[in-house]
Amino acid sequence: MRSLTRFRSAVAAGLLGLLAAFVVPAGPVAARAADEPATTVGDVTGFSHEGSVYRLTAGRAEARVSFVSAETFRLELAPDGTFTDPTGKDIVLPQGKAPRTEWREKSDRYELSTAKVTLRAYKSPLRFALYRADGTRVWAETKGLTWTKDTTTQSLARGADEQFYGAGMQNGRGNTSHRGKKVEVSVDYEWNDGGHPNSVPFYLSTAGYGVFRNTYAPNTYDFAEPVTATAKEQRFDAYYFAGKGDDAAKDVIGQYTRLTGKPFLPPVYGMEIGDADCYLHNANRGERRTLDSLKVADGYVQHDMPNGWMLVNDGYGCGYEDLPETSKGLAERKMKMGLWTEDGLAKIAEQVRAGQRVAKLDVAWVGDGYKKALDGCKDAYKGIEDHSDARGFTWAPESWSGAQRCGVQWSGDQSGSWEYIRWQIPTYAGSTMSGLAYTTGDVDGIFGGSPKTYVRDLQWKMFLPVTMTMDGWAASDKQPFRYGEPYTSINRKYLKLHESLLPYLYSYAHEATKTGVGAVRPLALEYPDDPKAATDAAKYEFLTGEDFLVAPVYKDTATRDGIYLPKGTWTDYWSGRTYRGPTTVDGYSAPLDTLPLFVRGGASVPMWPGGIRSYEDREADSPLAWDIYPQGKSSFELYEDDGVTRRHREGEYATQRADVRAPRSGAGDVSVRIGASEGEFKGKQRSRPYAFTLHTGDAPSRVELDGRALPRLASKGAYDKAGQGWFYDRDDRGGVVKVKTPSRRTDRAFELTLDDTSAVGGAVPGAAATVGVPAGQELGAGAPGKVAVDVTAGTKDATDVEVTLDAPGGWTVAATRTGRIPAGTTRRVEVAVTPPKAADPGEQPLTATARYRSAGQDRTARQRFALGVVPEAPGKDTWASDMVWLKSTNGYGPAERDRSNGESGAGDGRTLTLAGKTYEKGIGTHANAVIEVYPGGRCSAFTADVGIDDEINGYGEVAFSVEADGKVLWTSPKVTGASATVPVDVDVRGARHVELKVTDTNGSKSGDHADWAAARFSCA
């Protein structure tokens, strides 16, 4: 019988079973038997010091304090007086000379001080508290350190507004506060929501400190009152970091990664998407050879899609052959070869010499503890570097502190679904709070998935520095070109956007090697004083660098609610509409091709223009583009090196700074100074042309390059053909100034000035009109209709307004003119539209465009939206499985027509069977599931027999429901695998859209194979 869990392959499940014998237990380490005694450290009985190391005895126990820097120190406790160090030199790096310290004794305590902090050691009983040099308290123990036979615990007072982050990769959480929650730090092989792969025994507090538990033992952090931090070992060993300045959290991350290692700098190809599959003896694909990977690589080339590397042996027992030939073939397609280290590292020297440049570690590398996981990361990384001039580049599903310096951490083997997207969003930004700069998950998982979930998942993961797609495990391959149109084009759009943004992302990658802070960030890191940033208001969004705010769509919908924008000006990347934060945006229109994406006012984003497929497409005379949202004084420092070798570690790199001066708001001049590129590396451009896009919302009177006027070009076509000049494009994102320069020497600075223009948002802030399209509109294929468009004037009247729709070929659209729209008012305009008869039913992305005049400027406002195209309503009785499904969401694999739910491919289910009765017609689903059909108001009743398919043999627990036009018409009682078949007979008269839903009711989706047998609409 097939696996009942359905969320993990039989092979992977078998592996986990084998590993169980080796894994350190990962349950809550604070839990103790009721009769297990706990001992608390007693009164101080002795004190001594040597340099910056201090010892305090308390009876048999001994504590040791060792200062590492003026803000960092180590605190150890040996209950039996004997110190041990299981991690040795594995995690903590040499830190150089210890700081100067001093101590003094007072009646109730010892004070151990650097120039920055004082650690108080109270005498009776021994308790510790940390203070800054100005006397403010950082943290304080509520009682002394305690221990049992196999745990040690520290208890700290919790501040009234104190928030907590960290603990490594915590699936489904971490980018908002851990306050009031219990967090486990261990390897648990639970790779779905609630799991904690790639754990890190480190947390930080908004009180301005962080703690790293120097151990390989599992930890439990309970951020209640008091905060308790427990490790499963009878020794206490922790490093403390006192953050400073307004960016205290970043400073703490910096101190922690200075201790345990800064994040590595990936090769530039490693920041392009990767692809993983098994090409030798693949059980799911039939007999193949390793060289067959080149055929898949050709697919990326033929579809003009970026891809930086391919793992060619990703499957248990897969193996490989012809490595040199495979590597050579991939190189010809501008890709690198990677290997999965399932068979260990004994052959890494010859594999690297054959061309391997990526090493993905197996879960077996964790072995009997976290040391093996960390050693595997370091050894694979070193193996690449020892046998080539390339940078080490590894991927790990389970790791530990220190792994940030040698690899990417990814969240494990999951199944693609809307739920998968939802919980992954907070995961990776949360990981940044533990110094993990490169964390990710496979696009649409390795099982399950669908064309829509693939698109939605890939969209937002293009704003992670690294990601990959994995094939061979699912029933069909999952490369981004497999689903056909419109999905292929949308995927290409976002892959190329990521490629264009590599100069921005690579600059942040370099920054991480200095600061420890990765590019993907929770709002709380950049806006620590914003009370909403730590809450669920910001849970399902993140920042990429300081400038991009990403709010992924994680439901099967064309709108996104609850997008929280913090303080500042934020510009919609697609429409150019500006928002003033703090504010929450609801009803954001996000058809399938649109990722909700906002850019911070003041951003200067370096980009590679031209829609390139690979970094190797860059040539000596390729341009560099700057996408600028001018507001006040701002800057960005571009980092460049050869992208591949390790020569940057010897100083072979260059930086180039962009400084922008603009009004804080409203009208004024804008200047952009591009400094000289400082530094040298092989392949550095000696000269290059530059392109600028300045989001001003108002045309300048003049544009000058180093004081000399550039020609103003009359049209976009003329601009595209010209070698230099400028053009104001009113139709591009609310109005942008586009500027081209001739080739400029990179060792010389230059300045661009725009006279009489404005900061982002326009010369008259708020004067721009906005366009909105009410959600839920639909038209029949081939049927004339009207689409309502709302135009809202800003702070100034909008005159000469014309509204039209940008639609695909074959659609008929008539522009509509309307008169003046007074300031601050909204007018609804109806645009006549006729979709072609051949239009596919379902969501169709369109663009509503309003051209108008306001505040003395010709302007354009746009809004992307989803129009529903509905099929012809049934005119006779019809089976639900024969109807067009406008929506098909399923808990595992695709929902099946006239079959039970199968594995992850279409058509692999069995005969529908309920209570011994078989059915020829019906729908097989797996909770949670939604099937939407269109009766169009012509049907009177819906009937079916529902239950959990007999193949499950008693497992499962679900509830069925029927909803029409947003109203619940019928809900079943709880149905189990042992329940009798439940008859359904629902009045659906007048219903246009009907949804058949199945919901899990017991928190376990094992065996939730829910059948809508004989599902039929009466429509005579």
Side-chain angles (χ1 to χ4, degrees):
M1 191 176 102
R2 288 172 292 164
S3 166
L4 298 180
T5 64
R6 312 304 304 278
F7 285 92
R8 186 171 285 136
S9 72
V11 174
L15 171 71
L16 297 184
L18 291 172
L19 290 173
F22 301 103
V23 178
V24 176
V29 299
R32 296 191 289 265
D35 58 350
E36 183 179 346
T39 303
T40 302
V41 66
D43 295 348
V44 173
T45 56
F47 173 83
S48 65
H49 81 98
E50 182 177 347
S52 61
V53 178
Y54 298 83
R55 294 174 180 265
L56 300 101
T57 55
R60 188 182 176 198
E62 184 171 340
R64 182 166 63 189
V65 178
S66 309
F67 284 92
V68 176
S69 73
E71 297 94 5
T72 301
F73 64 91
R74 181 184 189 182
L75 173 60
E76 300 168 88
L77 177 75
D80 62 358
T82 302
F83 292 104
T84 59
D85 190 358
T87 68
K89 298 179 180 179
D90 294 348
I91 301 175
V92 175
L93 300 177
Q95 296 297 299
K97 185 178 179 181
R100 180 181 176 183
T101 63
E102 59 183 32
W103 67 277
R104 68 177 64 184
E105 182 177 7
K106 295 193 172 182
S107 60
D108 64 336
R109 64 183 184 267
Y110 294 95
E111 293 186 350
L112 320 177
S113 301
T114 70
K116 300 293 185 181
V117 297
T118 294
L119 180 66
R120 295 182 181 179
Y122 292 95
K123 298 178 180 178
S124 183
L126 175 59
R127 289 179 298 110
F128 294 97
L130 183 66
Y131 286 77
R132 300 189 190 278
D134 63 4
T136 58
R137 194 177 81 178
V138 181
W139 56 259
E141 291 182 331
T142 57
K143 64 177 181 179
L145 294 166
T146 63
W147 63 88
T148 67
K149 64 182 178 63
D150 58 5
T151 66
T152 52
T153 300
Q154 183 178 46
S155 301
L156 300 178
R158 190 181 73 179
D161 300 313
E162 190 175 3
Q163 309 298 329
F164 303 90
Y165 300 88
M169 184 181 286
Q170 297 285 325
N171 284 353
R173 55 212 188 280
N175 73 332
T176 54
S177 178
H178 291 316
R179 181 182 174 94
K181 301 170 185 175
K182 183 179 288 188
V183 179
E184 299 298 334
V185 176
S186 60
V187 175
D188 64 349
Y189 298 106
E190 173 51 67
W191 291 330
N192 292 302
D193 191 11
H196 35 90
N198 296 295
S199 291
V200 174
F202 164 83
Y203 72 89
L204 62 82
S205 160
T206 57
Y209 73 92
V211 185
F212 162 60
R213 202 72 169 255
N214 184 34
T215 181
Y216 283 128
N219 285 243
T220 295
Y221 302 136
D222 189 348
F223 296 105
E225 172 54 62
V227 173
T228 58
T230 302
K232 194 175 179 64
E233 59 181 358
Q234 200 195 65
R235 58 182 291 276
F236 185 89
D237 187 350
Y239 286 83
Y240 297 81
F241 315 97
K244 54 184 180 292
D246 295 334
D247 287 331
K250 290 182 181 178
D251 185 60
V252 167
I253 295 170
Q255 292 183 50
Y256 162 70
T257 53
R258 184 161 56 246
L259 185 79
T260 63
K262 297 296 185 195
F264 76 113
L265 181 63
V268 68
Y269 55 79
M271 297 178 71
E272 298 172 325
I273 194 171
D275 186 284
D277 202 347
C278 171
Y279 291 98
L280 187 64
H281 316 310
N282 187 325
N284 290 341
R285 300 291 183 271
E287 183 62 24
R288 297 195 300 186
R289 318 303 298 189
T290 303
L291 284 169
D292 288 334
S293 61
L294 302 183
K295 299 174 185 177
V296 174
D298 285 337
Y300 284 95
V301 177
Q302 292 161 5
H303 289 89
D304 191 24
M305 287 184 166
N307 185 66
W309 50 278
M310 292 183 68
L311 295 174
V312 298
N313 67 330
D314 195 65
Y316 289 105
C318 180
Y320 57 79
E321 61 187 8
D322 302 321
L323 284 190
E325 295 87 349
T326 302
S327 176
K328 181 176 182 293
L330 289 174
E332 291 168 352
R333 294 156 176 82
K334 301 178 181 178
M335 303 173 196
K336 303 295 184 184
M337 184 181 71
L339 293 173
W340 185 23
T341 61
E342 180 205 358
D343 60 351
L345 295 173
K347 300 178 182 178
I348 195 165
E350 63 184 82
Q351 291 168 342
V352 172
R353 285 193 289 267
Q356 179 186 4
R357 294 296 181 267
V358 185
K360 177 190 162 204
L361 305 181
D362 185 18
V363 291
W365 276 111
V366 179
D368 54 1
Y370 313 110
K371 174 178 170 54
K372 188 170 182 179
L374 183 56
D375 287 347
C377 178
K378 292 188 290 188
D379 291 346
Y381 183 90
K382 186 174 184 293
I384 292 172
E385 298 202 343
D386 283 350
H387 304 287
S388 73
D389 66 350
R391 303 173 196 174
F393 187 55
T394 75
W395 285 56
E398 301 282 1
S399 61
W400 201 246
S401 275
Q404 73 274 0
R405 62 187 190 241
C406 56
V408 173
Q409 288 75 44
W410 106 104
S411 54
D413 298 342
Q414 292 109 12
S415 183
S417 65
W418 297 107
E419 180 67 4
Y420 166 76
I421 296 173
R422 180 197 65 77
W423 67 253
Q424 285 214 337
I425 297 166
T427 301
Y428 308 124
S431 300
T432 300
M433 302 298 263
S434 299
L436 300 179
Y438 305 101
T439 55
T440 190
D442 303 315
V443 176
D444 207 31
I446 71 170
F447 311 113
S450 69
K452 290 181 76 172
T453 56
Y454 193 104
V455 164
R456 286 301 195 190
D457 199 37
L458 182 138
Q459 282 176 353
W460 72 272
K461 283 179 177 168
M462 291 300 94
F463 284 83
L464 305 179
V466 292
T467 195
M468 73 173 171
T469 183
M470 189 178 290
D471 309 281
W473 298 84
S476 58
D477 282 342
K478 305 191 79 171
Q479 284 90 12
F481 49 81
R482 294 293 185 185
Y483 291 117
E485 296 297 344
Y487 312 107
T488 295
S489 292
I490 299 172
N491 291 336
R492 180 188 301 111
K493 167 184 171 180
Y494 284 93
L495 284 164
K496 288 205 164 186
L497 177 57
H498 179 87
E499 195 76 17
S500 294
L501 288 171
L502 281 178
Y504 176 82
L505 294 169
Y506 197 62
S507 297
Y508 271 102
H510 167 71
E511 180 181 298
T513 68
K514 306 298 183 184
T515 66
V517 180
V520 180
R521 304 172 178 187
L523 269 64
L525 187 61
E526 294 294 341
Y527 300 90
D529 297 327
D530 187 328
K532 286 192 174 181
T535 71
D536 284 356
K539 185 172 185 177
Y540 297 112
E541 59 192 67
F542 61 90
L543 298 166
T544 297
E546 296 180 13
D547 297 323
F548 288 99
L549 188 148
V550 186
V553 176
Y554 55 92
K555 298 177 182 178
D556 190 2
T557 178
T559 58
R560 172 64 151 87
D561 292 329
I563 302 173
Y564 179 68
L565 303 178
K567 182 180 179 180
T569 300
W570 295 91
T571 300
D572 184 326
Y573 186 79
W574 310 110
S575 71
R577 179 177 178 178
T578 58
Y579 297 83
R580 178 71 64 180
T583 188
T584 299
V585 179
D586 289 320
Y588 181 94
S589 181
L592 186 61
D593 63 359
T594 302
L595 168 72
L597 180 64
F598 302 84
V599 188
R600 181 185 62 86
S604 297
V605 180
M607 301 180 71
W608 287 338
I612 60 176
R613 193 187 65 80
S614 167
Y615 77 96
E616 294 186 39
D617 292 337
R618 294 281 295 172
E619 299 176 348
D621 59 351
S622 292
L624 180 70
W626 287 91
D627 194 27
I628 296 173
Y629 296 74
Q631 186 176 57
K633 292 182 178 180
S634 60
S635 64
F636 188 91
E637 186 169 86
L638 170 70
Y639 171 86
E640 299 174 286
D641 61 26
D642 66 25
V644 177
T645 75
R646 304 189 294 277
R647 297 189 185 101
H648 64 288
R649 298 176 191 169
E650 281 71 56
E652 292 189 28
Y653 63 85
T655 59
Q656 187 176 33
R657 182 181 170 100
D659 288 288
V660 181
R661 295 194 307 274
R664 286 297 307 167
S665 180
D669 300 338
V670 173
S671 71
V672 181
R673 184 182 186 277
I674 303 298
S677 176
E678 299 180 357
E680 293 292 334
F681 62 90
K682 185 178 180 180
K684 177 182 175 179
Q685 289 179 289
R686 299 300 167 191
S687 63
R688 59 188 171 203
Y690 291 82
F692 297 86
T693 302
L694 297 107
H695 298 255
T696 60
D698 278 88
S701 63
R702 176 183 173 94
V703 176
E704 296 178 345
L705 179 61
D706 281 342
R708 303 183 68 176
L710 286 172
R712 180 171 187 172
L713 302 164
S715 67
K716 185 177 184 299
Y719 176 82
D720 291 340
K721 293 177 182 178
Q724 63 175 311
W726 68 277
F727 170 62
Y728 179 73
D729 192 344
R730 63 173 284 194
D731 292 338
D732 187 357
R733 291 167 287 178
V736 302
V737 184
K738 296 181 177 179
V739 184
K740 281 182 180 178
T741 77
S743 188
R744 308 280 303 186
R745 287 179 54 171
T746 55
D747 63 350
R748 294 182 180 178
F750 66 91
E751 187 164 16
L752 191 72
T753 58
L754 287 70
D755 297 337
D756 306 315
T757 182
S758 67
V760 63
V764 181
T770 59
V771 171
V773 181
Q777 298 186 72
E778 57 191 25
L779 297 175
K786 292 185 177 181
V787 173
V789 178
D790 293 334
V791 182
T792 301
T795 56
K796 301 293 182 180
D797 292 357
T799 60
D800 301 325
V801 180
E802 180 185 71
V803 180
T804 190
L805 300 179
D806 298 335
W811 289 59
T812 301
V813 178
T816 301
R817 287 190 173 275
T818 188
R820 170 178 155 277
I821 302 178
T825 65
T826 299
R827 179 168 298 169
R828 175 158 292 181
V829 179
E830 292 189 329
V831 181
V833 182
T834 304
K837 289 184 178 180
D840 291 331
E843 174 189 314
Q844 177 62 59
L846 302 176
T847 301
T849 300
R851 291 182 173 85
Y852 64 99
R853 187 169 181 82
S854 179
Q857 185 88 262
D858 290 332
R859 303 178 187 276
T860 303
R862 296 184 186 273
Q863 180 61 65
R864 196 74 166 153
F865 70 99
L867 178 70
V869 177
V870 295
E872 185 177 357
K876 60 181 181 179
D877 293 356
T878 184
W879 299 105
S881 58
D882 293 338
M883 299 175 73
V884 172
W885 292 354
L886 296 178
K887 182 183 295 183
S888 177
T889 300
N890 204 48
Y892 187 87
E896 297 282 5
R897 297 176 187 266
D898 306 326
R899 308 286 289 175
S900 68
N901 179 234
E903 293 294 339
S904 56
D908 61 2
R910 299 180 180 180
T911 302
L912 291 161
T913 308
L914 295 176
K917 180 179 179 181
T918 61
Y919 296 80
E920 292 186 4
K921 304 295 290 182
I923 301 172
T925 68
H926 189 296
N928 293 318
V930 181
I931 304 295
E932 180 184 341
V933 294
Y934 183 73
R938 293 187 180 180
C939 301
S940 59
F942 170 75
T943 56
D945 290 341
V946 299
I948 292 179
D949 198 281
D950 286 0
E951 67 175 336
I952 297 307
N953 195 27
Y955 287 89
E957 184 180 304
V958 301
F960 295 80
S961 63
V962 178
E963 299 185 13
D965 301 325
K967 181 180 179 181
V968 178
L969 302 182
W970 173 84
T971 300
S972 75
K974 180 177 69 176
V975 177
T976 71
S979 297
T981 302
V982 179
V984 184
D985 190 347
V986 182
D987 186 338
V988 295
R989 284 176 292 183
R992 293 176 57 81
H993 292 260
V994 170
E995 292 186 336
L996 309 178
K997 293 188 175 182
V998 179
T999 306
D1000 170 66
T1001 56
N1002 66 351
S1004 171
K1005 296 184 176 65
S1006 295
D1008 286 349
H1009 292 213
D1011 294 346
W1012 296 88
R1016 184 179 180 88
F1017 285 89
S1018 299
C1019 311

